[in-house]
Amino acid sequence: MKILVPVKRAVDYSVKIRVKADGTGVDLNNVKMSMNPFDEIAVEEAVRLKEAGKATEIVVVSIGPAKAQDVIRTAMAVGADRGILVQTDAPTDIGGVEPLAVAKILKAIVEGEKPDMIIMGKQSIDDDSNQTGQMLAALLGWGQATFASKVEIDGGNAKVTREVDGGLETVSVKLPAIVTTDLRLNEPRYAALPNIMKAKSKPMETKTPADYGVDVAPRLSVVKVAEPAKRQGGGKVSSVDELIDKLKNEAKVL
Amino acid sequence: MAILVLAEHDNKELKPATLHAVGAAAKIGGDIHVLVAGSGCGSVADAAAKIGGVSKVLKADDAALGNGLAENVAPVILDVAKNYSHIIGPATTTWKNILPRVAALLDVQQISDIIGVIDADTFNRPIYAGNAIATVKSSDSIRIITARGTAFDKAPADGGSAGIEDIAAKGDSGLSSFVSAEVSKSDRPELTAARVVVSGGRALGSTEGFKIIEELADKLNAAIGASRAAVDAGYVPNDYQVGQTGKNVAPELYIAIGISGAIQHLAGMKDSKVIVAINKDADAPIFGIADYGLVGDLFQIVPELTSKL
């Protein structure tokens, strides 16, 4: 079984981002970038399926600037076999390559690569859309299992436990299918130094959106990006009695 | 211009998230229709017909729609989509799962998790875990939207008398099937709709430690929430999780107990009206946004608070 894993280079989850003063976006200059955390989980799941003898090849795809090859190399260092970089200088957080365009590029890649399964993150932590996997499943006419916390391959199906609002739900999807990962699916491993070195010699192709005939012009124009309203926090009370008094008489919420 | 709102329900009851989504639709303005897709969902359609401001209910009742599988529900929406300028789903896991599938098939870029309506094409949505608010304008002819419940007032549950029109289901796609569900049981108010939320973090130390949270929540008729750390440690089920990867809440009172306040958690609760933090670390980031902070041992403070209320 061949698995395709799309990964995204996004702002590191630990970075406190700053909105640009001119309101055009978020300042990403000199900010630490990493693989989107949900995508790390997707890579890990694919590698575990390979280690379990279920998968034979793992292909990683990223769409973004030349530097996005770093996240492809990271995925290779934990076990992916080869990579495809679809290079574009358009922003991938907002105002550039949107989930619909990403899904169209991935569809074209899937038609060439013919994977049996696609595992990808449920959302990226920059634009927080939570759309690409579902859109790709739609364009391919495949089944989808989103927000996965457990994946079992069962013959020609994947049995997937999903994290839904009321608890957990298990569905069975016919392969080929798309699975999007939730945080509790697994604990991604760190790449060992020798594997980081080996990853440098694994094959990586570089393409452009035009190679796949996809128009990446955005459908949503960014009118502005602003800081959220600031809360005036920091007030402290010294006792439970004072807290109850303030909640009753000052905040009037009790 | 008519707007289609997608109902959140469990085939028996209409969920409050639907009322919030109708509230969002009302801000855009226009005829509001509600789609109830399910199996044996007649009582849900009846409840939807009573929502104030709704002029028509579309009911698709079929066994293939009972479990909300995206592959089966999306074609039903596609079938009626051309009649609408906007299709709005509540930002619940149900519609986060289904709507992008509809959007892609209509060749539309969805607008996820809106928190504000500027005009019929322009919306506010949080990005970067709520650390920035983007205003985006759609150039698509049908706007496909998920709306964050806590950002919009509920439409009145009563007062409407819409007609119910049956529409055809499209059968079973054969691509997926429902196996089982494991639903967390709770007699408490629903987390996203509660007036008061009491939330616990890793500092509770164990499932037993969470008992003091339950006692306080019972006293306040509050819903219980949790940080990701408490969920990952297994103290409570994952559907209690508040934050970027869990639920977004905006109650009148949010009490954060033993929660340090990572940005991912703050993203899910910082729009609460009043925030109280109880933590032994006076430098915890949660105190930076809390209206009232109390520094000390939560195992002493919380039982004292419960007994004095």
Side-chain angles (χ1 to χ4, degrees):
Chain A
M1 185 169 79
K2 180 168 169 180
I3 302 180
L4 187 80
V5 185
V7 298
K8 182 171 179 179
R9 177 180 181 264
V11 71
D12 189 84
Y13 73 95
S14 63
V15 169
K16 177 98 181 81
I17 58 105
R18 278 184 308 116
V19 172
K20 285 186 196 165
D22 64 1
T24 55
V26 166
D27 190 358
L28 296 176
N29 284 322
N30 304 314
V31 166
K32 186 183 179 199
M33 305 292 278
S34 300
M35 191 190 300
N36 178 45
F38 291 100
D39 305 348
E40 290 183 347
I41 294 168
V43 172
E44 174 68 29
E45 195 65 17
V47 171
R48 288 184 189 192
L49 285 168
K50 194 175 172 195
E51 287 168 346
K54 306 271 187 192
T56 48
E57 189 185 23
I58 302 169
V59 182
V60 176
V61 182
S62 193
I63 299 166
K67 283 212 160 236
Q69 59 182 277
D70 295 353
V71 297
I72 295 175
R73 294 283 175 210
T74 302
M76 288 171 167
V78 294
D81 297 293
R82 61 191 173 85
I84 302 169
L85 170 66
V86 182
Q87 199 175 323
T88 166
D89 289 323
T92 55
D93 55 349
I94 51 164
V97 189
E98 295 168 339
L100 181 63
V102 170
K104 287 178 180 176
I105 294 169
L106 292 175
K107 175 181 186 256
I109 292 173
V110 167
E111 282 165 353
E113 293 282 342
K114 300 191 170 36
D116 303 282
M117 192 173 181
I118 299 170
I119 308 181
M120 57 201 290
K122 77 165 179 182
Q123 73 186 67
S124 66
I125 61 166
D126 46 12
D127 81 336
D128 288 335
S129 282
N130 192 336
Q131 298 175 8
T132 309
Q134 296 90 314
M135 287 183 151
L136 179 56
L139 297 178
L140 291 167
W142 291 7
Q144 65 187 54
T146 51
F147 326 142
S149 59
K150 190 176 175 194
V151 176
E152 292 169 285
I153 306 297
D154 174 15
N157 296 290
K159 198 170 141 197
V160 179
T161 303
R162 306 178 53 232
E163 300 206 2
V164 296
D165 284 336
L168 298 172
E169 171 184 292
T170 303
V171 296
S172 177
V173 282
K174 197 168 93 183
L175 295 175
I178 291 180
V179 172
T180 75
T181 62
D182 217 320
L183 281 171
R184 270 164 288 271
L185 180 58
N186 61 46
E187 190 82 40
R189 72 192 71 185
Y190 291 100
L193 187 60
N195 293 338
I196 293 173
M197 300 311 290
K198 271 187 229 158
K200 290 187 176 163
S201 56
K202 288 186 178 178
M204 177 153 52
E205 281 177 85
T206 301
K207 299 278 194 178
T208 67
D211 292 337
Y212 299 105
V214 175
D215 175 10
V216 298
R219 305 287 185 84
L220 302 179
S221 58
V222 178
V223 179
K224 69 169 182 190
V225 175
E227 298 246 8
K230 282 256 188 309
R231 282 192 81 95
Q232 279 300 332
K236 290 215 174 88
V237 295
S238 57
S239 69
V240 169
D241 292 319
E242 190 187 345
L243 176 62
I244 293 173
D245 176 63
K246 295 259 190 189
L247 290 177
K248 277 189 174 146
N249 300 315
E250 194 176 274
K252 299 187 197 313
V253 287
L254 284 185
Chain B
M1 182 165 79
I3 303 173
L4 184 66
V5 174
L6 307 164
E8 177 77 16
H9 66 89
D10 59 4
N11 293 312
K12 296 183 197 76
E13 280 181 4
L14 186 76
K15 302 288 182 189
T18 317
L19 302 176
H20 289 288
V22 173
K27 287 225 163 180
I28 296 167
D31 249 14
I32 300 174
H33 299 177
V34 173
L35 171 68
V36 177
S39 173
C41 56
S43 58
V44 180
D46 292 343
K50 293 197 184 83
I51 301 172
V54 170
S55 61
K56 184 154 85 173
V57 172
L58 305 180
K59 183 177 72 161
D61 198 331
D62 189 273
L65 302 174
N67 296 304
L69 293 169
E71 298 84 350
N72 295 353
V73 177
V76 176
I77 301 170
L78 271 178
D79 217 30
V80 297
K82 63 178 186 312
N83 303 327
Y84 296 96
S85 61
H86 298 73
I87 299 178
I88 304 180
T92 55
T93 50
T94 309
W95 295 107
K96 285 179 181 176
N97 181 41
I98 299 169
L99 262 187
R101 195 169 175 105
V102 176
L105 294 171
L106 290 167
D107 196 29
V108 166
Q109 175 52 52
Q110 176 178 310
I111 311 154
S112 291
D113 220 15
I114 65 162
I115 57 169
V117 173
I118 308 294
D119 61 37
D121 301 316
T122 316
F123 307 92
N124 290 330
R125 58 177 302 262
I127 54 174
Y128 289 91
N131 289 300
I133 307 297
T135 305
V136 294
K137 187 176 170 67
S138 169
S139 61
D140 287 313
S141 57
I142 301 178
R143 296 79 172 178
I144 306 243
I145 293 165
T146 56
R148 182 177 290 193
T150 55
F152 297 96
D153 291 338
K154 278 194 230 176
D158 288 301
S161 56
I164 299 173
E165 182 183 311
D166 282 302
I167 62 167
K170 302 272 124 184
D172 186 342
S173 69
L175 294 171
S176 65
S177 58
F178 174 81
V179 177
S180 62
E182 195 180 307
V183 180
S184 314
K185 293 209 170 16
S186 172
D187 298 330
R188 294 200 174 78
E190 202 187 339
L191 184 54
T192 52
R195 199 185 72 83
V196 180
V197 173
V198 181
S199 230
R202 197 204 306 267
L204 273 306
S206 64
T207 305
E208 291 71 46
F210 244 83
K211 291 236 160 60
I212 60 170
I213 302 279
E214 289 170 20
E215 285 158 14
L216 178 58
D218 286 343
K219 203 72 172 262
L220 292 165
N221 188 30
I224 294 180
S227 67
R228 187 185 162 207
V231 171
D232 283 350
Y235 305 163
V236 288
N238 66 285
D239 52 315
Y240 283 43
Q241 186 179 320
V242 172
Q244 187 189 14
T245 54
K247 288 183 179 144
N248 285 288
V249 300
E252 282 185 40
L253 174 60
Y254 188 90
I255 307 181
I257 298 169
I259 291 176
S260 61
I263 53 173
Q264 292 85 356
H265 186 77
L266 302 185
M269 47 68 83
K270 66 180 168 49
D271 296 323
S272 305
K273 187 167 161 237
V274 174
I275 296 173
V276 170
I278 298 170
N279 204 301
K280 69 174 191 301
D281 174 9
D283 297 324
I286 191 83
F287 288 119
I289 64 153
D291 300 281
Y292 304 108
L294 187 49
V295 179
D297 179 2
L298 62 92
F299 290 105
Q300 282 170 11
I301 292 171
V302 176
E304 185 188 345
L305 179 59
T306 306
S307 68
K308 284 182 172 168
L309 282 168

